[in-house]
Amino acid sequence: MRAKYLIGLGVILGALAYLIFGGLGQNLVYFLTPSEYLQDQGRYQNRPVRLGGLVKQGTVHYDKDKLELRFVLTDGVAEVPVVHKGTPPGMFKEGQGVVVEGRFQEGVFRGTNLLVKHSETYQAPKEGWTPEEVRKLIEEAK
Protein backbone atom coordinates (compact mmCIF):
# COMPACT_ATOMS: atom_id res chain seq x y z
CA MET A 1 0.00 0.00 0.00
CA ARG A 2 2.77 2.42 0.92
CA ALA A 3 4.64 1.60 -2.32
CA LYS A 4 1.61 2.77 -4.33
CA TYR A 5 1.70 6.15 -2.64
CA LEU A 6 5.44 6.53 -3.22
CA ILE A 7 5.06 5.61 -6.89
CA GLY A 8 2.12 8.02 -7.25
CA LEU A 9 4.06 10.80 -5.54
CA GLY A 10 7.06 10.13 -7.82
CA VAL A 11 4.87 10.32 -10.92
CA ILE A 12 3.29 13.58 -9.76
CA LEU A 13 6.67 15.16 -8.91
CA GLY A 14 8.12 13.98 -12.23
CA ALA A 15 5.20 15.46 -14.18
CA LEU A 16 5.46 18.72 -12.25
CA ALA A 17 9.21 18.96 -12.88
CA TYR A 18 8.67 18.28 -16.58
CA LEU A 19 6.06 21.05 -16.81
CA ILE A 20 8.27 23.55 -15.00
CA PHE A 21 11.63 22.81 -16.63
CA GLY A 22 10.37 21.53 -19.98
CA GLY A 23 8.49 24.74 -20.72
CA LEU A 24 11.31 26.91 -19.43
CA GLY A 25 13.55 26.26 -22.43
CA GLN A 26 10.84 27.39 -24.84
CA ASN A 27 10.42 30.72 -23.05
CA LEU A 28 14.09 31.71 -22.82
CA VAL A 29 15.13 34.43 -25.25
CA TYR A 30 18.57 33.63 -26.62
CA PHE A 31 20.42 35.64 -29.22
CA LEU A 32 23.65 35.30 -31.16
CA THR A 33 26.38 37.89 -31.05
CA PRO A 34 28.13 38.91 -34.28
CA SER A 35 31.23 36.97 -33.12
CA GLU A 36 29.22 33.78 -32.61
CA TYR A 37 27.70 34.16 -36.06
CA LEU A 38 31.07 34.64 -37.77
CA GLN A 39 32.46 31.50 -36.11
CA ASP A 40 29.84 29.28 -37.83
CA GLN A 41 28.20 31.26 -40.64
CA GLY A 42 26.92 28.26 -42.59
CA ARG A 43 24.88 27.02 -39.65
CA TYR A 44 22.79 30.20 -39.49
CA GLN A 45 22.23 31.02 -43.18
CA ASN A 46 18.53 31.38 -44.07
CA ARG A 47 17.43 30.26 -40.59
CA PRO A 48 15.37 32.42 -38.23
CA VAL A 49 17.60 33.67 -35.39
CA ARG A 50 18.00 36.60 -33.03
CA LEU A 51 21.12 38.74 -33.34
CA GLY A 52 22.10 40.99 -30.44
CA GLY A 53 24.66 43.71 -29.91
CA LEU A 54 25.22 47.47 -30.05
CA VAL A 55 24.37 49.73 -32.97
CA LYS A 56 27.74 51.00 -34.21
CA GLN A 57 28.19 54.78 -34.16
CA GLY A 58 27.90 56.47 -37.56
CA THR A 59 26.31 53.52 -39.37
CA VAL A 60 22.59 54.27 -39.11
CA HIS A 61 20.90 55.13 -42.42
CA TYR A 62 17.11 55.32 -42.71
CA ASP A 63 15.32 55.63 -46.06
CA LYS A 64 11.86 57.07 -45.29
CA ASP A 65 10.59 56.37 -48.80
CA LYS A 66 11.46 52.65 -48.72
CA LEU A 67 10.97 52.33 -44.93
CA GLU A 68 14.38 50.68 -44.82
CA LEU A 69 16.76 50.97 -41.88
CA ARG A 70 20.42 50.01 -42.36
CA PHE A 71 23.02 49.84 -39.61
CA VAL A 72 25.95 47.78 -38.36
CA LEU A 73 25.58 45.66 -35.24
CA THR A 74 28.71 44.99 -33.19
CA ASP A 75 29.71 43.15 -30.05
CA GLY A 76 33.00 45.04 -29.83
CA VAL A 77 34.88 42.28 -31.65
CA ALA A 78 32.92 41.55 -34.83
CA GLU A 79 30.44 43.50 -36.94
CA VAL A 80 27.44 42.47 -39.04
CA PRO A 81 25.48 44.69 -41.46
CA VAL A 82 21.73 44.73 -40.76
CA VAL A 83 18.81 45.72 -43.00
CA HIS A 84 15.44 46.14 -41.30
CA LYS A 85 12.17 46.86 -43.11
CA GLY A 86 9.81 49.20 -41.31
CA THR A 87 9.92 52.26 -39.13
CA PRO A 88 12.53 52.10 -36.36
CA PRO A 89 11.23 52.22 -32.78
CA GLY A 90 11.23 55.66 -31.17
CA MET A 91 14.08 54.82 -28.80
CA PHE A 92 16.37 53.41 -31.53
CA LYS A 93 19.71 55.25 -31.73
CA GLU A 94 23.42 54.73 -32.28
CA GLY A 95 25.28 53.07 -29.42
CA GLN A 96 22.01 51.48 -28.26
CA GLY A 97 21.69 47.80 -27.36
CA VAL A 98 19.32 45.95 -29.72
CA VAL A 99 18.16 42.44 -30.56
CA VAL A 100 17.06 41.90 -34.15
CA GLU A 101 14.97 38.91 -35.22
CA GLY A 102 15.47 37.78 -38.80
CA ARG A 103 17.70 35.74 -41.14
CA PHE A 104 21.23 35.90 -42.51
CA GLN A 105 21.12 36.13 -46.30
CA GLU A 106 24.15 36.76 -48.51
CA GLY A 107 26.29 38.24 -45.75
CA VAL A 108 23.59 40.63 -44.50
CA PHE A 109 21.20 40.14 -41.61
CA ARG A 110 17.63 40.82 -42.83
CA GLY A 111 15.63 41.87 -39.77
CA THR A 112 11.89 41.40 -39.36
CA ASN A 113 11.56 42.57 -35.76
CA LEU A 114 13.68 45.08 -33.85
CA LEU A 115 13.83 45.05 -30.04
CA VAL A 116 15.47 48.04 -28.38
CA LYS A 117 16.99 48.02 -24.91
CA HIS A 118 15.74 50.97 -22.96
CA SER A 119 16.59 52.72 -19.74
CA GLU A 120 15.54 50.93 -16.58
CA THR A 121 14.78 54.15 -14.76
CA TYR A 122 11.27 55.52 -14.63
CA GLN A 123 10.38 58.98 -13.47
CA ALA A 124 6.69 59.75 -13.27
CA PRO A 125 5.60 63.24 -14.25
CA LYS A 126 4.84 65.46 -11.29
CA GLU A 127 1.31 66.57 -10.62
CA GLY A 128 0.44 69.66 -12.62
CA TRP A 129 3.11 69.20 -15.32
CA THR A 130 2.17 70.40 -18.79
CA PRO A 131 2.43 68.11 -21.85
CA GLU A 132 5.49 70.09 -22.97
CA GLU A 133 7.26 69.37 -19.67
CA VAL A 134 6.41 65.67 -19.95
CA ARG A 135 7.71 65.60 -23.55
CA LYS A 136 10.98 67.23 -22.37
CA LEU A 137 11.33 64.57 -19.64
CA ILE A 138 10.88 61.81 -22.22
CA GLU A 139 13.46 63.37 -24.56
CA GLU A 140 16.00 63.62 -21.70
CA ALA A 141 15.54 59.89 -20.97
CA LYS A 142 16.55 59.00 -24.53
Side-chain angles (χ1 to χ4, degrees):
M1 186 87 160
R2 183 177 175 153
K4 282 186 193 179
Y5 290 120
L6 289 176
I7 291 172
L9 181 63
V11 169
I12 291 171
L13 289 176
L16 185 61
Y18 175 76
L19 290 174
I20 292 171
F21 296 111
L24 184 63
Q26 296 172 355
N27 293 323
L28 292 176
V29 177
Y30 178 74
F31 60 85
L32 294 171
T33 63
S35 296
E36 290 171 325
Y37 162 67
L38 292 175
Q39 288 176 358
D40 195 2
Q41 294 179 32
R43 178 178 177 193
Y44 302 111
Q45 288 298 314
N46 296 312
R47 291 183 54 200
V49 294
R50 290 184 178 110
L51 180 68
L54 295 175
V55 178
K56 185 176 178 182
Q57 297 285 343
T59 64
V60 175
H61 303 286
Y62 180 61
D63 185 335
K64 292 180 183 178
D65 297 330
K66 295 181 183 178
L67 293 179
E68 184 177 85
L69 176 66
R70 292 179 173 270
F71 59 95
V72 173
L73 199 64
T74 182
D75 60 3
V77 177
E79 299 177 351
V80 172
V82 176
V83 175
H84 173 72
K85 289 286 188 178
T87 306
M91 295 186 342
F92 180 84
K93 62 184 177 183
E94 295 177 342
Q96 182 80 34
V98 298
V99 174
V100 187
E101 297 174 337
R103 296 173 184 264
F104 287 101
Q105 295 174 333
E106 301 167 5
V108 176
F109 191 77
R110 307 260 176 209
T112 55
N113 193 19
L114 185 60
L115 309 169
V116 178
K117 179 169 175 28
H118 57 82
S119 171
E120 297 174 4
T121 60
Y122 172 75
Q123 181 179 356
K126 296 178 181 160
E127 190 174 327
W129 277 21
T130 66
E132 290 78 26
E133 291 172 320
V134 173
R135 193 170 298 116
K136 182 179 177 188
L137 177 66
I138 291 170
E139 289 298 320
E140 288 173 358
K142 290 182 179 180

